Each structure stands twice: as C-alpha cells, then as structure tokens.
Amino acid sequence: MLMRYKAYTLNNFKKISQLSNLSDLQIKDIEIVGQILPFKVSSYIIDELIDWTNFENDPFFILTFPQKEMIDQAQYDAVEKALFQQTEKSVLKKVVDDIRLSLNPNPSGQQFNVPEFDGKPLAGIQHKYNETMLFFPSQGQTCHAYCTFCFRWPQFSLNDFKFAMKEADLMIAYLKAHPEVTDVLFTGGDPAIMKTKFFEYYFNALIDAEIPNLKTIRIGTKSLTYWPYRFTTDEDAGALLQLFEKTIKSGISISIMAHFNHPRALETSAVQEAIKRILATGAQIRTQSPILKHINASGDLWAKMWRKQVDLGLIPYYMFIARDTGARDYFALSLDEAYHIFNDAYNKVSGICRTVRGPSMSSDPGKVHVIGITEINGEKAFVLRFIQARNPEWVNKVFFAKYNADAMWLNDLEPAFGEKEFFFIKELNTMKSSQHDLCHAEGVN
Ligand SMILES: *Cc1c(COP(=O)(O)O)cnc(C)c1O
Ligand code: SF4
C-alpha cells in the first residue's frame, strides 16, 4: 500500500484524530511547550508507533510531543501569557527566542568548527576527527519528525545557525586535499528527508571524482524510526536503493547510521521491510541512540533493543549520553546511572551485540567513553577513555576522574589521584585558541 508522508506541527496538530484521548489541558500544554521545543510528528508515528491507550507513558509520544515538564514553570507561564494574552506576535517571538537561547542551543562552547579552504570558511562541512568529515547538505536540514530532546533545533528553527552548502565541488576539493579522510558522514537534520535526486547529485559527484581515500559514505538518519516508507513505498525509494547499489559497486561502501531509541521502533512491518531492502543493496546499518530518562533508561530495554537489532541484521554502534542542551533536565541521567544501565545491558547480551560502545559523551576534546567505576587506595574514580579525539594521539588513552554521583557531563568531573588537570587540557586550550571551535554533529543521528 502506498503511504503518503504527512506531518503535523503546531499549525495543524489539532486535526490528529487520536488527540481525542487528551484533555484540553494536555492539548494546551503541547501548544505552549511546542513554541519552545521543536514539534513535528509524522503520520507513521501517530498511527503505528504510539500506543494511544497509554500515551502518557508512551516513549514515542514523549519523544515527539512536547511535554509540560520539559520546560520550567516560569518559562511555561511566560509563553502562556504571551501566547494567549498579548496580541503582538513580536512579543511572543521575543519570549520564545530568549527562552531558547537560555536552553543552550550550541552546547559545550560549540561554535561550529567550520574548516577553512582556500582562505574561506567552508559552510556545510565539519571536520573534527581525522578520518571522518561531516557534510550537511542544505536540502537535508530538517527531519521527518522532531525529537523533543534534540539539540539541533537551532538549525531548523533559528535561522542564524543554519548551515548551507549547495555545491558538491567544495566537498570534493576538500576530500582531495585531505587524504586522511576515509569517511564522509551525511548528516543534518536528517539527510534522508532529501529527495533521491539530491542524493544522486552528491553521490554521483563523489563516484565520478574517484577520490582514492574515500572508502565509506555514511548517512546519519532517523528515518527508519520516523518514516521507514522512505525506503519502501515513497515514489523515489527504489531509485535511492539503486543508487546505494551503484555506489557500492563503484567501491565506496555505505553505512546507514540509524537512530533507534526504543525496541518497539524495530517491530513494525514497515521498518522491517525497509531494513531488508537497504541490506539487500549491500549497505550496512549501524545503530545509535542517546540514553534518555522517560524513554529508554533500563538495561533490559537496551539488551532487548540490541538483540532485536542483531536479529534484523543491524550492527549496534553507540550509546550516547544526553548533552547539556534543550530539555536536558527532563531526559538526563547521571554518568553513574548511564554506566550502570549500559553495564547491565551489556552483561545480558552475547558477543555479537557487543559491537556497541558507550556510554559516550561527545564533548569538546572528543568522544569520552565511561569504561567503569573503580576504587584504588580508597579513592573511587570513573575510568574514562577517548573513543575519538581532536588529537588522534589521545584516542584509546585511559584517564581517571574523581567519582561524583551527580556528574552528568565531562565538565562536571575533576581529575582523580591528585592530578591537577586532565592530561589533554593544555593542548585542547591551545587548539581552541588557534581555530574557531565547533562540533555540532555528535552523531546523534
Ligand atoms: C561521532 C563523530 C564522528 C564519527 O566518529 P566515528 O568514531 O568514526 O564513528 C565524526 N565527527 C564527529 C564530530 C563526531 O561526533
Ligand atoms: S535527533 Fe535527529 S531526527 Fe531527531 S530532531 Fe534531531 S536531527 Fe532530527
């Protein structure tokens, strides 16, 4: 059956027939919080993922419908007043913009790390880790639906932060000048929102350029969770799969970096069909997700999710720790909690699921993996390690931080065992002062 993509936003969400399950107050909450957090939901999520008989606890409802508890009461009151009592639209906009800025839209001091090329900044490209260049196609800067936890909302709602790069030429020139880059990661937003003709434009350009160092194209996408019909019944689905085949035949492998937050997203016949078709092209699918309170804060759930993924031929890849942005207080767990949940799940699965790494913080110096909690000579400490780092020499280095039960992020931690500062700090500061820092795409997608 042909499924036509339909999205609901603040403008039309009251037409969703399942909202008859909600009270007037619950609908008003969505309207108010939806001014601040991104809100867009697809018909697939509404009709096939959310269990409306228990929507208040449903992970997909919480993932996509703004919840009152995601902002604080003062913020709620301010928006309510501006929305319902003020007539001037500009007043509401000011209230909303101020609250959004206070939610730290570019977390961890992250101005975008846009590289320079021929003396000009390369908008649309980020290059933080040697082997992998990020590419933000300008046609892929939105998503089939928005996650309420997402920190990328400046891109789709505050235009000042928008990336754009229409030309593949610059990307190719950059790849040729940087032989250390083996992977190009298409990211967004969600690049799978693009029509196949744009994928064709970019991929064909990459194939034709015959760049010897380019081994893998990755696509960071949540479409398998939010709109799996992108790979099955959308009118240009078949052409996209053919393009994958052609690209792989040309010698460039394709890896879909798929974002799944909950095992139920793997259960519909639509997603299973989409996975089958993608794998039949020879592409691989790796999976990643942040660990989130109210959504997936359980070892059993993660174990079940990884097992199900492996059953379907997917490769578990990353568990991320939620960043300090947006509705973070609502979703965040401590490093200690995240570590214990990971450990619990990891202990319940066999080696074929243990391709997953985490929990990992995509922080300024790099991806920091919380390996364990230990005690040496009476001092309790987190054992940490770089999975990825700004300086490749830091990768795989182990370091220690004083145990802190409440710590949620690297900047809440201090070195353990009498060290004055973490081993990478001096060098990081030098690096930061010598370039515009950035790093946005922490591989959430
Ligand atoms: C995670 C990430 C990558 C990809 O890292 P891999 O370890 O190769 O998966 C690339 N760039 C940025 C900025 C990232 O956060
Ligand atoms: S996490 Fe990904 S899919 Fe979700 S809103 Fe952010 S960019 Fe879009």
Side-chain angles (χ1 to χ4, degrees), residues 128-130 365-366 386 388-395 427 431:
K128 179 172 174 179
Y129 305 133
N130 262 351
F386 279 109
Q388 268 294 12
R390 269 179 197 277
N391 179 345
E393 288 168 15
W394 305 343
V395 173
E427 206 180 329
M431 288 166 115

Side-chain angles (χ1 to χ4, degrees), residues 38 142-143 145-147 149-152 156 188-190 222 226 259 444-445:
T142 183
C143 315
Y146 293 149
C147 311
F149 65 78
C150 183
F151 64 86
R152 295 191 185 188
F156 25 84
D190 190 332
K222 200 157 189 173
Y226 285 165
H259 186 170
V444 160
N445 234 332

Side-chain angles (χ1 to χ4, degrees), residues 385-437:
R385 153 194 172 249
F386 279 109
I387 296 177
Q388 268 294 12
R390 269 179 197 277
N391 179 345
E393 288 168 15
W394 305 343
V395 173
N396 226 6
K397 261 198 153 169
V398 170
F399 60 107
F400 297 93
K402 272 191 194 132
Y403 175 78
N404 169 350
D406 303 321
M408 294 187 156
W409 198 252
L410 188 61
N411 56 12
D412 299 325
L413 296 176
E414 291 170 34
F417 310 128
E419 294 282 321
K420 285 219 168 45
E421 57 182 19
F422 292 124
F423 76 92
F424 52 84
I425 293 289
K426 270 200 188 68
E427 206 180 329
L428 178 67
N429 289 339
T430 317
M431 288 166 115
K432 277 165 53 174
S433 56
S434 70
Q435 65 177 106
H436 346 254
D437 178 45

Side-chain angles (χ1 to χ4, degrees), residues 26-200:
Q26 284 170 322
I27 290 172
K28 184 174 148 196
D29 288 346
I30 295 170
E31 206 168 353
I32 289 173
V33 185
Q35 306 289 329
I36 306 291
L37 301 177
F39 175 39
K40 178 168 157 189
V41 60
S42 71
S43 45
Y44 169 76
I45 300 170
I46 293 166
D47 296 333
E48 303 190 49
L49 291 184
I50 295 174
D51 171 6
W52 289 96
T53 63
N54 184 25
F55 70 91
E56 278 138 319
N57 301 309
D58 185 88
F60 301 101
F61 182 75
I62 297 170
L63 259 182
T64 52
F65 284 79
Q67 308 287 314
K68 177 154 202 254
E69 298 74 24
M70 289 175 183
I71 61 175
D72 69 33
Q73 188 67 42
Q75 293 168 335
Y76 183 96
D77 294 343
V79 176
E80 181 179 26
K81 184 158 171 257
L83 187 62
F84 295 115
Q85 295 177 13
Q86 304 277 358
T87 43
E88 286 279 319
K89 267 234 157 77
S90 63
V91 175
L92 176 63
K93 185 171 182 312
K94 171 99 178 63
V95 169
V96 165
D97 286 350
D98 286 351
I99 296 175
R100 284 183 171 177
L101 284 173
S102 77
L103 294 178
N104 197 18
N106 288 301
S108 300
Q110 293 170 17
Q111 267 307 314
F112 303 128
N113 212 353
V114 179
E116 288 195 356
F117 196 69
D118 278 348
K120 285 183 227 103
L122 273 187
I125 284 182
Q126 287 179 20
H127 190 193
K128 179 172 174 179
Y129 305 133
N130 262 351
E131 327 75 48
T132 306
M133 185 197 98
L134 308 181
F135 175 57
F136 298 79
S138 55
Q139 305 79 10
Q141 299 311 310
T142 183
C143 315
H144 290 102
Y146 293 149
C147 311
T148 42
F149 65 78
C150 183
F151 64 86
R152 295 191 185 188
W153 40 259
Q155 267 167 272
F156 25 84
S157 52
L158 294 177
N159 283 332
D160 311 23
F161 295 97
K162 207 154 190 155
F163 296 84
M165 174 164 165
K166 296 211 167 59
E167 296 298 323
D169 298 0
L170 272 176
M171 168 170 53
I172 287 166
Y174 189 83
L175 286 170
K176 286 185 169 162
H178 288 268
E180 75 277 16
V181 177
T182 56
D183 293 29
V184 172
L185 170 54
F186 280 65
T187 184
D190 190 332
I193 199 89
M194 291 195 292
K195 290 282 180 227
T196 297
K197 65 179 181 198
F198 293 112
F199 276 106
E200 285 168 342

Side-chain angles (χ1 to χ4, degrees), residues 223-276:
S223 52
L224 285 168
T225 296
Y226 285 165
W227 190 250
Y229 301 109
R230 177 67 186 90
F231 304 97
T232 59
T233 61
D234 275 8
E235 60 184 5
D236 59 355
L240 183 61
L241 298 169
Q242 277 165 16
L243 179 67
F244 287 1
E245 270 179 33
K246 174 184 171 185
T247 307
I248 294 163
K249 281 214 182 81
S250 84
I252 302 172
S253 68
I254 293 187
S255 187
I256 307 292
M257 310 305 288
H259 186 170
F260 290 109
N261 308 122
H262 194 281
R264 259 174 49 210
L266 296 152
E267 281 168 11
T268 67
S269 52
V271 73
Q272 294 187 1
E273 181 64 23
I275 289 169
K276 240 189 247 159

